[in-house]
Amino acid sequence: MSMRTDVVVIGGGQSGLAAGYHLRRLGVDSVILDAQATPGGAWQHAWDSLRLFSPAAYSSLPGRLMPPQSGQTYPDAAHVVEYLADYEKRYELPVRRGVRVSAVHRDGAFLRVGTDCGDWRARAVISATGTWTRPFLPAVPGRREYTGRQLHTVEYESPAAFAGQRVIVVGGGNSGAQIAADLAGHADLTWVTRRPPRYLADDIDGRALFDAATARRRALDEGRADTGGVASLGDIVAVPPVRAARDAGLLHARPMFSRLTAAGAEWADGTRSVADAVIWCTGFRPALAHFAALRLRGARGRIATDGTRAVDEPRLHLIGYGDWTGPASATLIGVGRPARDAAREVAALLG
Ligand code: FAD
């Protein structure tokens, strides 16, 4: 026996909630299935010192401004979790927690959504499963030989666990810079990046990034030259802790090592560093394994989309994974618009 609804939203983080908000406004019958037991999506697992790169008001989902966090311009992850929990309650969003979607199949006029708590039959699906559950580690020679501790961004919590240790942080993006800054002064830090770190100007935060992402999408939509978007501005937002560590001379990046050895890392010129731990801040991939049976996946594990709609399965929409599902779709302020577009298209499809 399967349960019936018009739309299943898979994932109850910020993207799934934004979709739920718009579906509800349009009067579409839906359910939001989320694997976790409690609200907040990936923000529940952020490291202790993580701060948003935008002020609260610029980190808001549709309909409700994020309230400021007292004493903080850039709120912490716990504040985001609180905001998301309040958001779903306020709008009475139909979230079912502790439900993991394992596979989606075509079933005539329906999509059958298989979960560990039974099947759902829906006329459309919006996928909002994020990337946090799919950490990416590059294939580096010697990774299996190395005997120290290896962890990914998703497992990092605080510098306390690394006090006095020799730690290599890999990655020149925001996670790498923030975790390197977090460890600087507590651990014997080696920070390695594939290219020299590219800091955004100190006065650029998430507001400017959102504007750049929107301008790029508009230029592409109108057939104008690619503005380069956010990537043209730099890789690392100089949030206060990163700026402080950089200005104190604690953040020196070395080029990427060529291999790991049993004891640490070795560079192409033969120099070596012994390390107790290597922290891979090397990004994520979209969590889309549940669509394997639909055979939609293309390059880099992505599904080809036109706006938010899957090109080869018009009953499926994707939001939140990155710019390929809408400008700044993987941010709090940016997901509102793709969520609205997806909800409207789904409502039109349902007639
Ligand atoms: P998630 O928050 O990951 O939520 C997805 C939900 O789907 C989760 O609850 C998950 O358990 C569930 N799920 C996954 N698979 C399944 C399944 N098969 N079945 C059922 N449920 C499933 N954005 C900003 O706007 N400002 C910032 O300052 C900012 N800083 C960031 C810092 C870091 C380190 C990272 C990684 C991202 C940051 N982002 C920031 C980007 C973005 O806001 C977050 O990645 C956000 O968590 C994405 O939300 P989401 O809802 O798309 O995915």
Side-chain angles (χ1 to χ4, degrees):
M1 249 268 299
S2 59
M3 293 160 275
R4 274 286 314 275
T5 181
D6 280 336
V7 183
V8 169
V9 178
I10 310 176
Q14 64 199 36
S15 302
L17 299 189
Y21 170 88
H22 283 293
L23 289 168
R24 192 187 149 97
R25 286 193 77 180
L26 292 165
V28 175
D29 179 41
S30 61
V31 64
I32 301 171
L33 306 179
D34 188 56
Q36 302 195 71
T38 47
W43 295 106
Q44 296 171 80
H45 310 292
W47 61 89
D48 297 355
S49 68
L50 180 72
R51 294 282 178 280
L52 292 189
F53 49 67
S54 309
Y58 293 88
S59 304
S60 301
L61 293 180
R64 167 141 173 82
L65 275 183
M66 182 186 285
Q69 183 174 18
S70 98
Q72 308 264 13
T73 307
Y74 298 96
D76 62 20
H79 189 69
V80 183
V81 171
E82 221 172 278
Y83 168 71
L84 294 178
D86 172 69
Y87 187 91
E88 69 179 58
K89 212 157 79 193
R90 177 176 294 255
Y91 294 113
E92 297 175 329
L93 299 179
V95 186
R96 300 213 178 181
R97 287 242 145 66
V99 182
R100 178 174 297 282
V101 172
S102 47
V104 176
H105 290 92
R106 295 188 180 92
D107 187 359
F110 297 95
L111 290 170
R112 187 160 37 84
V113 180
T115 82
D116 51 5
C117 302
D119 285 6
W120 288 82
R121 268 152 58 94
R123 293 166 68 199
V125 165
I126 297 178
S127 190
T129 47
T131 58
W132 189 261
T133 53
R134 277 209 60 211
F136 172 75
L137 276 84
V140 170
R143 216 175 69 203
R144 288 182 203 288
E145 278 165 48
Y146 175 62
T147 54
R149 182 173 174 210
Q150 294 189 60
L151 59 162
H152 185 270
T153 309
V154 297
E155 294 156 282
Y156 177 76
E157 287 177 359
S158 76
F162 302 95
Q165 294 187 11
R166 296 156 298 190
V167 182
I168 299 178
V169 173
V170 184
N174 285 299
S175 312
Q178 286 191 29
I179 290 176
D182 210 27
L183 287 166
H186 298 275
D188 177 356
L189 172 71
T190 303
W191 182 31
V192 303
T193 60
R194 255 189 326 190
R195 58 181 179 186
R198 298 190 315 148
Y199 294 98
L200 282 90
D202 286 0
D203 59 345
I204 291 189
D205 63 16
R207 284 170 285 198
L209 297 180
F210 178 65
D211 290 345
T214 307
R216 174 168 191 247
R217 171 57 63 177
R218 200 169 292 142
L220 294 176
D221 286 350
E222 292 169 4
R224 289 183 280 117
D226 190 345
T227 59
V230 170
S232 66
L233 301 174
D235 298 321
I236 301 167
V237 184
V239 289
V242 168
R243 204 181 310 164
R246 181 199 64 192
D247 294 349
L250 298 173
L251 286 185
H252 298 285
R254 293 186 65 176
M256 183 63 188
F257 47 78
S258 54
R259 57 176 287 112
L260 285 178
T261 62
E266 184 178 304
W267 279 259
D269 63 5
T271 54
R272 289 179 165 214
S273 260
V274 173
D276 301 299
V278 176
I279 306 180
W280 298 97
C281 304
T282 41
F284 304 86
R285 293 290 181 263
L288 295 172
H290 47 291
F291 293 124
L294 301 183
R295 300 188 177 280
L296 300 170
R297 292 180 75 164
R300 289 168 66 84
R302 295 177 182 181
I303 292 175
T305 48
D306 179 3
T308 60
R309 181 171 35 82
V311 172
D312 295 322
E313 177 45 85
R315 296 170 292 183
L316 171 63
H317 286 255
L318 298 121
I319 50 172
Y321 300 98
D323 280 0
W324 53 287
T325 58
S329 185
T331 64
L332 284 152
I333 193 172
V335 75
R337 196 168 146 192
R340 184 197 64 193
D341 294 348
R344 282 185 181 166
E345 280 196 46
V346 162
L349 178 84
L350 299 177

PDB file of all heavy atoms in Angstrom, residues 81-105:
ATOM      1  N   VAL A  81      19.419  27.227  12.679  1.00  0.00           N
ATOM      2  CA  VAL A  81      18.580  26.068  13.021  1.00  0.00           C
ATOM      3  C   VAL A  81      17.290  26.540  13.714  1.00  0.00           C
ATOM      4  O   VAL A  81      16.182  26.097  13.384  1.00  0.00           O
ATOM      5  CB  VAL A  81      19.348  25.064  13.916  1.00  0.00           C
ATOM      6  CG1 VAL A  81      18.424  23.985  14.455  1.00  0.00           C
ATOM      7  CG2 VAL A  81      20.506  24.443  13.139  1.00  0.00           C
ATOM      8  N   GLU A  82      17.457  27.481  14.633  1.00  0.00           N
ATOM      9  CA  GLU A  82      16.294  28.020  15.365  1.00  0.00           C
ATOM     10  C   GLU A  82      15.325  28.693  14.387  1.00  0.00           C
ATOM     11  O   GLU A  82      14.112  28.504  14.450  1.00  0.00           O
ATOM     12  CB  GLU A  82      16.815  29.074  16.343  1.00  0.00           C
ATOM     13  CG  GLU A  82      16.196  29.066  17.698  1.00  0.00           C
ATOM     14  CD  GLU A  82      16.958  30.038  18.575  1.00  0.00           C
ATOM     15  OE1 GLU A  82      18.031  29.659  19.114  1.00  0.00           O
ATOM     16  OE2 GLU A  82      16.510  31.193  18.680  1.00  0.00           O
ATOM     17  N   TYR A  83      15.895  29.456  13.472  1.00  0.00           N
ATOM     18  CA  TYR A  83      15.080  30.167  12.475  1.00  0.00           C
ATOM     19  C   TYR A  83      14.308  29.165  11.598  1.00  0.00           C
ATOM     20  O   TYR A  83      13.114  29.317  11.352  1.00  0.00           O
ATOM     21  CB  TYR A  83      16.003  31.040  11.629  1.00  0.00           C
ATOM     22  CG  TYR A  83      15.376  31.619  10.371  1.00  0.00           C
ATOM     23  CD1 TYR A  83      14.423  32.636  10.445  1.00  0.00           C
ATOM     24  CD2 TYR A  83      15.752  31.143   9.110  1.00  0.00           C
ATOM     25  CE1 TYR A  83      13.855  33.163   9.282  1.00  0.00           C
ATOM     26  CE2 TYR A  83      15.196  31.670   7.953  1.00  0.00           C
ATOM     27  CZ  TYR A  83      14.243  32.670   8.047  1.00  0.00           C
ATOM     28  OH  TYR A  83      13.697  33.179   6.899  1.00  0.00           O
ATOM     29  N   LEU A  84      14.988  28.112  11.150  1.00  0.00           N
ATOM     30  CA  LEU A  84      14.340  27.132  10.283  1.00  0.00           C
ATOM     31  C   LEU A  84      13.245  26.358  11.044  1.00  0.00           C
ATOM     32  O   LEU A  84      12.173  26.076  10.509  1.00  0.00           O
ATOM     33  CB  LEU A  84      15.370  26.165   9.693  1.00  0.00           C
ATOM     34  CG  LEU A  84      16.383  26.796   8.726  1.00  0.00           C
ATOM     35  CD1 LEU A  84      17.392  25.753   8.241  1.00  0.00           C
ATOM     36  CD2 LEU A  84      15.700  27.449   7.527  1.00  0.00           C
ATOM     37  N   ALA A  85      13.532  26.038  12.304  1.00  0.00           N
ATOM     38  CA  ALA A  85      12.540  25.318  13.116  1.00  0.00           C
ATOM     39  C   ALA A  85      11.295  26.188  13.292  1.00  0.00           C
ATOM     40  O   ALA A  85      10.156  25.722  13.167  1.00  0.00           O
ATOM     41  CB  ALA A  85      13.143  24.949  14.466  1.00  0.00           C
ATOM     42  N   ASP A  86      11.516  27.476  13.555  1.00  0.00           N
ATOM     43  CA  ASP A  86      10.398  28.401  13.729  1.00  0.00           C
ATOM     44  C   ASP A  86       9.640  28.585  12.410  1.00  0.00           C
ATOM     45  O   ASP A  86       8.401  28.643  12.391  1.00  0.00           O
ATOM     46  CB  ASP A  86      10.949  29.757  14.218  1.00  0.00           C
ATOM     47  CG  ASP A  86       9.876  30.805  14.235  1.00  0.00           C
ATOM     48  OD1 ASP A  86       8.976  30.683  15.090  1.00  0.00           O
ATOM     49  OD2 ASP A  86       9.891  31.730  13.387  1.00  0.00           O
ATOM     50  N   TYR A  87      10.384  28.619  11.311  1.00  0.00           N
ATOM     51  CA  TYR A  87       9.793  28.839   9.981  1.00  0.00           C
ATOM     52  C   TYR A  87       8.797  27.731   9.640  1.00  0.00           C
ATOM     53  O   TYR A  87       7.666  27.989   9.228  1.00  0.00           O
ATOM     54  CB  TYR A  87      10.934  28.891   8.960  1.00  0.00           C
ATOM     55  CG  TYR A  87      10.532  29.267   7.544  1.00  0.00           C
ATOM     56  CD1 TYR A  87      10.545  30.604   7.130  1.00  0.00           C
ATOM     57  CD2 TYR A  87      10.169  28.302   6.612  1.00  0.00           C
ATOM     58  CE1 TYR A  87      10.197  30.952   5.832  1.00  0.00           C
ATOM     59  CE2 TYR A  87       9.828  28.642   5.318  1.00  0.00           C
ATOM     60  CZ  TYR A  87       9.848  29.968   4.932  1.00  0.00           C
ATOM     61  OH  TYR A  87       9.511  30.308   3.637  1.00  0.00           O
ATOM     62  N   GLU A  88       9.215  26.493   9.853  1.00  0.00           N
ATOM     63  CA  GLU A  88       8.307  25.408   9.443  1.00  0.00           C
ATOM     64  C   GLU A  88       7.088  25.331  10.340  1.00  0.00           C
ATOM     65  O   GLU A  88       6.014  24.935   9.913  1.00  0.00           O
ATOM     66  CB  GLU A  88       9.048  24.059   9.345  1.00  0.00           C
ATOM     67  CG  GLU A  88       9.502  23.472  10.648  1.00  0.00           C
ATOM     68  CD  GLU A  88      10.207  22.129  10.415  1.00  0.00           C
ATOM     69  OE1 GLU A  88      11.202  22.110   9.675  1.00  0.00           O
ATOM     70  OE2 GLU A  88       9.770  21.115  10.990  1.00  0.00           O
ATOM     71  N   LYS A  89       7.276  25.753  11.609  1.00  0.00           N
ATOM     72  CA  LYS A  89       6.150  25.753  12.534  1.00  0.00           C
ATOM     73  C   LYS A  89       5.162  26.874  12.167  1.00  0.00           C
ATOM     74  O   LYS A  89       3.959  26.664  12.069  1.00  0.00           O
ATOM     75  CB  LYS A  89       6.685  25.961  13.953  1.00  0.00           C
ATOM     76  CG  LYS A  89       5.861  25.261  14.988  1.00  0.00           C
ATOM     77  CD  LYS A  89       6.564  24.968  16.259  1.00  0.00           C
ATOM     78  CE  LYS A  89       6.620  26.222  17.115  1.00  0.00           C
ATOM     79  NZ  LYS A  89       7.530  26.121  18.231  1.00  0.00           N
ATOM     80  N   ARG A  90       5.727  28.049  11.937  1.00  0.00           N
ATOM     81  CA  ARG A  90       4.925  29.231  11.621  1.00  0.00           C
ATOM     82  C   ARG A  90       4.030  28.997  10.398  1.00  0.00           C
ATOM     83  O   ARG A  90       2.873  29.365  10.378  1.00  0.00           O
ATOM     84  CB  ARG A  90       5.885  30.393  11.358  1.00  0.00           C
ATOM     85  CG  ARG A  90       5.255  31.678  10.938  1.00  0.00           C
ATOM     86  CD  ARG A  90       6.347  32.716  10.835  1.00  0.00           C
ATOM     87  NE  ARG A  90       6.902  32.983  12.141  1.00  0.00           N
ATOM     88  CZ  ARG A  90       6.650  34.077  12.849  1.00  0.00           C
ATOM     89  NH1 ARG A  90       5.852  34.994  12.369  1.00  0.00           N
ATOM     90  NH2 ARG A  90       7.195  34.252  14.031  1.00  0.00           N
ATOM     91  N   TYR A  91       4.595  28.366   9.385  1.00  0.00           N
ATOM     92  CA  TYR A  91       3.826  28.151   8.150  1.00  0.00           C
ATOM     93  C   TYR A  91       3.179  26.752   8.113  1.00  0.00           C
ATOM     94  O   TYR A  91       2.660  26.345   7.083  1.00  0.00           O
ATOM     95  CB  TYR A  91       4.717  28.380   6.927  1.00  0.00           C
ATOM     96  CG  TYR A  91       5.149  29.829   6.825  1.00  0.00           C
ATOM     97  CD1 TYR A  91       6.479  30.195   7.002  1.00  0.00           C
ATOM     98  CD2 TYR A  91       4.202  30.819   6.601  1.00  0.00           C
ATOM     99  CE1 TYR A  91       6.863  31.528   6.943  1.00  0.00           C
ATOM    100  CE2 TYR A  91       4.578  32.160   6.548  1.00  0.00           C
ATOM    101  CZ  TYR A  91       5.912  32.506   6.715  1.00  0.00           C
ATOM    102  OH  TYR A  91       6.274  33.820   6.662  1.00  0.00           O
ATOM    103  N   GLU A  92       3.245  26.049   9.229  1.00  0.00           N
ATOM    104  CA  GLU A  92       2.619  24.713   9.353  1.00  0.00           C
ATOM    105  C   GLU A  92       2.962  23.842   8.143  1.00  0.00           C
ATOM    106  O   GLU A  92       2.084  23.297   7.470  1.00  0.00           O
ATOM    107  CB  GLU A  92       1.101  24.853   9.503  1.00  0.00           C
ATOM    108  CG  GLU A  92       0.728  25.592  10.764  1.00  0.00           C
ATOM    109  CD  GLU A  92      -0.774  25.833  10.856  1.00  0.00           C
ATOM    110  OE1 GLU A  92      -1.430  25.984   9.815  1.00  0.00           O
ATOM    111  OE2 GLU A  92      -1.269  25.871  11.991  1.00  0.00           O
ATOM    112  N   LEU A  93       4.243  23.753   7.864  1.00  0.00           N
ATOM    113  CA  LEU A  93       4.668  22.991   6.687  1.00  0.00           C
ATOM    114  C   LEU A  93       4.566  21.488   6.994  1.00  0.00           C
ATOM    115  O   LEU A  93       4.887  21.045   8.108  1.00  0.00           O
ATOM    116  CB  LEU A  93       6.094  23.385   6.301  1.00  0.00           C
ATOM    117  CG  LEU A  93       6.239  24.876   5.938  1.00  0.00           C
ATOM    118  CD1 LEU A  93       7.681  25.216   5.575  1.00  0.00           C
ATOM    119  CD2 LEU A  93       5.308  25.261   4.797  1.00  0.00           C
ATOM    120  N   PRO A  94       4.138  20.717   6.010  1.00  0.00           N
ATOM    121  CA  PRO A  94       3.855  19.290   6.254  1.00  0.00           C
ATOM    122  C   PRO A  94       5.116  18.431   6.228  1.00  0.00           C
ATOM    123  O   PRO A  94       5.300  17.602   5.348  1.00  0.00           O
ATOM    124  CB  PRO A  94       2.928  18.938   5.076  1.00  0.00           C
ATOM    125  CG  PRO A  94       3.347  19.874   3.975  1.00  0.00           C
ATOM    126  CD  PRO A  94       3.824  21.125   4.638  1.00  0.00           C
ATOM    127  N   VAL A  95       5.987  18.619   7.218  1.00  0.00           N
ATOM    128  CA  VAL A  95       7.268  17.907   7.237  1.00  0.00           C
ATOM    129  C   VAL A  95       7.125  16.583   7.986  1.00  0.00           C
ATOM    130  O   VAL A  95       6.563  16.551   9.082  1.00  0.00           O
ATOM    131  CB  VAL A  95       8.367  18.741   7.940  1.00  0.00           C
ATOM    132  CG1 VAL A  95       9.722  18.051   7.817  1.00  0.00           C
ATOM    133  CG2 VAL A  95       8.441  20.150   7.372  1.00  0.00           C
ATOM    134  N   ARG A  96       7.610  15.510   7.405  1.00  0.00           N
ATOM    135  CA  ARG A  96       7.703  14.223   8.122  1.00  0.00           C
ATOM    136  C   ARG A  96       9.164  13.912   8.314  1.00  0.00           C
ATOM    137  O   ARG A  96       9.907  13.778   7.339  1.00  0.00           O
ATOM    138  CB  ARG A  96       7.064  13.109   7.315  1.00  0.00           C
ATOM    139  CG  ARG A  96       5.620  13.402   7.061  1.00  0.00           C
ATOM    140  CD  ARG A  96       4.849  12.132   7.019  1.00  0.00           C
ATOM    141  NE  ARG A  96       3.446  12.458   6.809  1.00  0.00           N
ATOM    142  CZ  ARG A  96       2.502  11.566   6.739  1.00  0.00           C
ATOM    143  NH1 ARG A  96       2.789  10.297   6.873  1.00  0.00           N
ATOM    144  NH2 ARG A  96       1.255  11.919   6.534  1.00  0.00           N
ATOM    145  N   ARG A  97       9.564  13.795   9.560  1.00  0.00           N
ATOM    146  CA  ARG A  97      10.984  13.605   9.872  1.00  0.00           C
ATOM    147  C   ARG A  97      11.312  12.139  10.103  1.00  0.00           C
ATOM    148  O   ARG A  97      10.456  11.322  10.442  1.00  0.00           O
ATOM    149  CB  ARG A  97      11.352  14.423  11.099  1.00  0.00           C
ATOM    150  CG  ARG A  97      11.409  15.901  10.792  1.00  0.00           C
ATOM    151  CD  ARG A  97      12.807  16.474  11.011  1.00  0.00           C
ATOM    152  NE  ARG A  97      13.085  17.513  10.030  1.00  0.00           N
ATOM    153  CZ  ARG A  97      12.452  18.670   9.971  1.00  0.00           C
ATOM    154  NH1 ARG A  97      11.514  18.956  10.818  1.00  0.00           N
ATOM    155  NH2 ARG A  97      12.786  19.545   9.036  1.00  0.00           N
ATOM    156  N   GLY A  98      12.602  11.845   9.946  1.00  0.00           N
ATOM    157  CA  GLY A  98      13.056  10.478  10.146  1.00  0.00           C
ATOM    158  C   GLY A  98      12.621   9.588   8.993  1.00  0.00           C
ATOM    159  O   GLY A  98      12.495   8.369   9.151  1.00  0.00           O
ATOM    160  N   VAL A  99      12.386  10.179   7.823  1.00  0.00           N
ATOM    161  CA  VAL A  99      11.973   9.409   6.643  1.00  0.00           C
ATOM    162  C   VAL A  99      13.036   9.584   5.552  1.00  0.00           C
ATOM    163  O   VAL A  99      13.240  10.685   5.042  1.00  0.00           O
ATOM    164  CB  VAL A  99      10.604   9.899   6.104  1.00  0.00           C
ATOM    165  CG1 VAL A  99      10.183   9.050   4.904  1.00  0.00           C
ATOM    166  CG2 VAL A  99       9.552   9.873   7.190  1.00  0.00           C
ATOM    167  N   ARG A 100      13.719   8.510   5.240  1.00  0.00           N
ATOM    168  CA  ARG A 100      14.777   8.587   4.219  1.00  0.00           C
ATOM    169  C   ARG A 100      14.261   8.033   2.899  1.00  0.00           C
ATOM    170  O   ARG A 100      13.761   6.906   2.849  1.00  0.00           O
ATOM    171  CB  ARG A 100      16.011   7.792   4.670  1.00  0.00           C
ATOM    172  CG  ARG A 100      17.142   7.780   3.636  1.00  0.00           C
ATOM    173  CD  ARG A 100      18.373   7.125   4.188  1.00  0.00           C
ATOM    174  NE  ARG A 100      18.901   7.864   5.331  1.00  0.00           N
ATOM    175  CZ  ARG A 100      19.617   8.991   5.230  1.00  0.00           C
ATOM    176  NH1 ARG A 100      19.915   9.472   4.059  1.00  0.00           N
ATOM    177  NH2 ARG A 100      20.043   9.588   6.323  1.00  0.00           N
ATOM    178  N   VAL A 101      14.378   8.830   1.848  1.00  0.00           N
ATOM    179  CA  VAL A 101      13.976   8.381   0.516  1.00  0.00           C
ATOM    180  C   VAL A 101      15.107   7.552  -0.072  1.00  0.00           C
ATOM    181  O   VAL A 101      16.259   8.011  -0.138  1.00  0.00           O
ATOM    182  CB  VAL A 101      13.651   9.586  -0.392  1.00  0.00           C
ATOM    183  CG1 VAL A 101      13.417   9.130  -1.830  1.00  0.00           C
ATOM    184  CG2 VAL A 101      12.438  10.336   0.145  1.00  0.00           C
ATOM    185  N   SER A 102      14.769   6.331  -0.476  1.00  0.00           N
ATOM    186  CA  SER A 102      15.822   5.470  -1.003  1.00  0.00           C
ATOM    187  C   SER A 102      15.845   5.475  -2.531  1.00  0.00           C
ATOM    188  O   SER A 102      16.901   5.415  -3.135  1.00  0.00           O
ATOM    189  CB  SER A 102      15.645   4.041  -0.490  1.00  0.00           C
ATOM    190  OG  SER A 102      14.294   3.652  -0.632  1.00  0.00           O
ATOM    191  N   ALA A 103      14.665   5.546  -3.159  1.00  0.00           N
ATOM    192  CA  ALA A 103      14.637   5.479  -4.623  1.00  0.00           C
ATOM    193  C   ALA A 103      13.346   6.066  -5.163  1.00  0.00           C
ATOM    194  O   ALA A 103      12.293   5.945  -4.534  1.00  0.00           O
ATOM    195  CB  ALA A 103      14.765   4.019  -5.072  1.00  0.00           C
ATOM    196  N   VAL A 104      13.455   6.696  -6.323  1.00  0.00           N
ATOM    197  CA  VAL A 104      12.280   7.220  -7.019  1.00  0.00           C
ATOM    198  C   VAL A 104      12.175   6.485  -8.353  1.00  0.00           C
ATOM    199  O   VAL A 104      13.169   6.352  -9.068  1.00  0.00           O
ATOM    200  CB  VAL A 104      12.412   8.743  -7.244  1.00  0.00           C
ATOM    201  CG1 VAL A 104      11.233   9.275  -8.052  1.00  0.00           C
ATOM    202  CG2 VAL A 104      12.525   9.471  -5.905  1.00  0.00           C
ATOM    203  N   HIS A 105      10.948   5.980  -8.628  1.00  0.00           N
ATOM    204  CA  HIS A 105      10.717   5.245  -9.885  1.00  0.00           C
ATOM    205  C   HIS A 105       9.566   5.878 -10.655  1.00  0.00           C
ATOM    206  O   HIS A 105       8.658   6.449 -10.059  1.00  0.00           O
ATOM    207  CB  HIS A 105      10.355   3.776  -9.596  1.00  0.00           C
ATOM    208  CG  HIS A 105      11.492   2.979  -9.065  1.00  0.00           C
ATOM    209  ND1 HIS A 105      11.727   2.839  -7.721  1.00  0.00           N
ATOM    210  CD2 HIS A 105      12.476   2.292  -9.696  1.00  0.00           C
ATOM    211  CE1 HIS A 105      12.816   2.094  -7.538  1.00  0.00           C
ATOM    212  NE2 HIS A 105      13.291   1.750  -8.727  1.00  0.00           N
TER     213      HIS A 105
END
